[in-house]
Amino acid sequence: MKNPTIIDIPVKMEKFYGKGKMLHPTTQIIEEAIRTIPTGMVATIETLCRRLAKDFETDVTCPMRTGNAIKKIVEKYVGEMVDEDLPFWRVVKNDKKVINSKAHEYCAARLEDEGFKLSYTKSGDIRIDLDPEKVYHF
């Protein structure tokens, strides 16, 4: 497995995160974390990033790299239908919207199959009606 990259928080991001270390996780590391999300629960990118930062003893995990990696994971797994045990559809954006990818309808359908209520925003995004108790905190 490829090791993640740990960098100094870029100067342009210090206004959001302060000074310190930032994790750029690999897709394999993200996949391992996603595997722990139980049925009936959903994780946000933010909760996932917090878990990874804690695991790798950094101040923050890059949310943009994490979100982009999740998109790649979704498209890979749906396109190849490789590992049905990886519940990638259980990761949503911090605003409770399904992650925009080529397979966002697939992810929404899987969430509905697990009993979550969904709605469409005016812009066409899919939002999950999420009880705070259903947010998985790693």
Side-chain angles (χ1 to χ4, degrees):
M1 178 186 336
K2 183 180 170 193
N3 289 329
T5 304
I6 297 175
I7 64 167
D8 290 328
I9 295 174
V11 174
K12 65 182 178 181
M13 296 177 89
E14 285 180 359
K15 65 182 174 183
F16 302 107
Y17 304 115
K19 293 182 184 271
K21 296 293 181 185
M22 176 180 275
L23 174 70
H24 289 174
T26 64
T27 55
Q28 294 92 349
I29 290 168
I30 294 169
E31 287 175 10
E32 287 176 22
I34 290 172
R35 282 186 199 288
T36 68
I37 305 169
T39 303
M41 301 289 282
V42 174
T44 64
I45 292 174
E46 181 181 355
T47 61
L48 175 60
C49 286
R50 272 194 249 129
R51 150 87 189 277
L52 296 176
K54 183 178 177 183
D55 287 353
F56 288 90
E57 299 177 349
T58 60
D59 299 291
V60 67
T61 300
C62 182
M64 192 159 100
R65 286 186 185 251
T66 303
N68 288 338
I70 292 169
K71 278 184 190 180
K72 288 178 185 175
I73 291 167
V74 169
E75 291 171 7
K76 172 183 142 187
Y77 280 73
V78 171
E80 299 172 14
M81 294 307 259
V82 288
D83 186 353
E84 283 294 317
D85 293 331
L86 183 70
F88 52 82
W89 57 89
R90 293 186 192 142
V91 181
V92 296
K93 294 171 25 177
N94 299 336
D95 59 5
K96 313 301 186 274
K97 292 179 184 171
V98 174
I99 294 172
N100 290 330
S101 70
K102 294 175 185 172
H104 71 279
E105 292 284 344
Y106 174 86
C107 293
R110 292 298 301 258
L111 288 166
E112 276 188 317
D113 290 345
E114 292 187 5
F116 291 100
K117 302 233 183 287
L118 305 177
S119 61
Y120 285 86
T121 65
K122 289 180 182 177
S123 61
D125 292 325
I126 303 170
R127 181 174 304 211
I128 185 171
D129 182 18
L130 190 58
D131 181 337
E133 293 177 8
K134 297 288 185 176
V135 176
Y136 184 63
H137 296 278
F138 294 90

